[in-house]
Structure formats: structure tokens, C-alpha cells
Amino acid sequence: MKRTETKFACIIPVFNFKNVPASIDYYVKVLGFKKDWDWRDPPGFGSVSRGHCHIILCHGDHGQAATWTWISVEYVEKLYEEY
């Protein structure tokens, strides 16, 4: 089987939250992400990002509890000071 040179652009994890609006608020106000979008009223699905890192937040539909995700950052010491 011959493989083509398909390039992968990114991976976006999907995390399950009990309260999507509160979680988006935390990611924005505490962790410095920006809110990309949310869906439904009240939101049960949404996205946040910081730099090239995107995270999907959902309530009850997708995602697995206790999932681990590694996020690469430059200058982790500066991020530590920021937090």
C-alpha cells in the first residue's frame, strides 16, 4: 500500500465539563485563553485557544473523564510567573 504525504495540521482535544460557561470563564480569566465560540443557550459546547493551542469544551456529549493532554509552551518559567 502506497502512502501519500498527508500532513496533519493539529490535534484539538475535547474535554468534558459539568459547566461549560464556567469552564470557559476559567480558561479565559485565569489561564489567559481566548474564547473562540460557544454553542447553545446555555452553552453546552465551546472552544478556547491560546497561541496555536485549541481546546474544545463540552457537556455530556463527548470527551472522557480523566483524560491527559500535553501542551507544549515556550518559556515555561514565564508562564509559571504569569500564573
Side-chain angles (χ1 to χ4, degrees), residues 21 52 54-55 76:
H52 295 289
H54 295 265
I55 299 172
V76 71

PDB file of all heavy atoms in Angstrom, residues 21 52 54-55 76:
ATOM      1  N   PRO A  21     -20.010  27.089  30.503  1.00  0.00           N
ATOM      2  CA  PRO A  21     -19.775  28.530  30.642  1.00  0.00           C
ATOM      3  C   PRO A  21     -18.781  28.868  31.755  1.00  0.00           C
ATOM      4  O   PRO A  21     -17.903  29.718  31.566  1.00  0.00           O
ATOM      5  CB  PRO A  21     -21.162  29.094  30.957  1.00  0.00           C
ATOM      6  CG  PRO A  21     -22.113  28.108  30.369  1.00  0.00           C
ATOM      7  CD  PRO A  21     -21.445  26.777  30.562  1.00  0.00           C
ATOM      8  N   HIS A  52      -1.307  28.594  19.365  1.00  0.00           N
ATOM      9  CA  HIS A  52      -1.759  27.556  18.437  1.00  0.00           C
ATOM     10  C   HIS A  52      -2.500  26.427  19.145  1.00  0.00           C
ATOM     11  O   HIS A  52      -2.814  25.412  18.532  1.00  0.00           O
ATOM     12  CB  HIS A  52      -0.567  26.977  17.673  1.00  0.00           C
ATOM     13  CG  HIS A  52       0.091  27.977  16.768  1.00  0.00           C
ATOM     14  ND1 HIS A  52      -0.499  28.426  15.611  1.00  0.00           N
ATOM     15  CD2 HIS A  52       1.270  28.633  16.875  1.00  0.00           C
ATOM     16  CE1 HIS A  52       0.300  29.314  15.041  1.00  0.00           C
ATOM     17  NE2 HIS A  52       1.373  29.456  15.782  1.00  0.00           N
ATOM     18  N   HIS A  54      -5.712  24.850  20.852  1.00  0.00           N
ATOM     19  CA  HIS A  54      -7.172  24.940  20.910  1.00  0.00           C
ATOM     20  C   HIS A  54      -7.693  23.803  21.761  1.00  0.00           C
ATOM     21  O   HIS A  54      -7.164  22.689  21.717  1.00  0.00           O
ATOM     22  CB  HIS A  54      -7.784  24.832  19.508  1.00  0.00           C
ATOM     23  CG  HIS A  54      -7.414  25.959  18.620  1.00  0.00           C
ATOM     24  ND1 HIS A  54      -8.205  27.061  18.449  1.00  0.00           N
ATOM     25  CD2 HIS A  54      -6.313  26.167  17.852  1.00  0.00           C
ATOM     26  CE1 HIS A  54      -7.631  27.893  17.605  1.00  0.00           C
ATOM     27  NE2 HIS A  54      -6.467  27.369  17.236  1.00  0.00           N
ATOM     28  N   ILE A  55      -8.733  24.074  22.531  1.00  0.00           N
ATOM     29  CA  ILE A  55      -9.371  23.048  23.356  1.00  0.00           C
ATOM     30  C   ILE A  55     -10.871  23.176  23.174  1.00  0.00           C
ATOM     31  O   ILE A  55     -11.424  24.274  23.266  1.00  0.00           O
ATOM     32  CB  ILE A  55      -9.005  23.209  24.838  1.00  0.00           C
ATOM     33  CG1 ILE A  55      -7.489  23.056  25.031  1.00  0.00           C
ATOM     34  CG2 ILE A  55      -9.771  22.201  25.697  1.00  0.00           C
ATOM     35  CD1 ILE A  55      -7.016  23.380  26.435  1.00  0.00           C
ATOM     36  N   VAL A  76       8.498  28.194  29.722  1.00  0.00           N
ATOM     37  CA  VAL A  76       7.573  27.750  30.761  1.00  0.00           C
ATOM     38  C   VAL A  76       7.758  28.548  32.060  1.00  0.00           C
ATOM     39  O   VAL A  76       6.804  28.738  32.809  1.00  0.00           O
ATOM     40  CB  VAL A  76       7.689  26.226  30.989  1.00  0.00           C
ATOM     41  CG1 VAL A  76       8.991  25.869  31.678  1.00  0.00           C
ATOM     42  CG2 VAL A  76       6.500  25.702  31.758  1.00  0.00           C
TER      43      VAL A  76
END
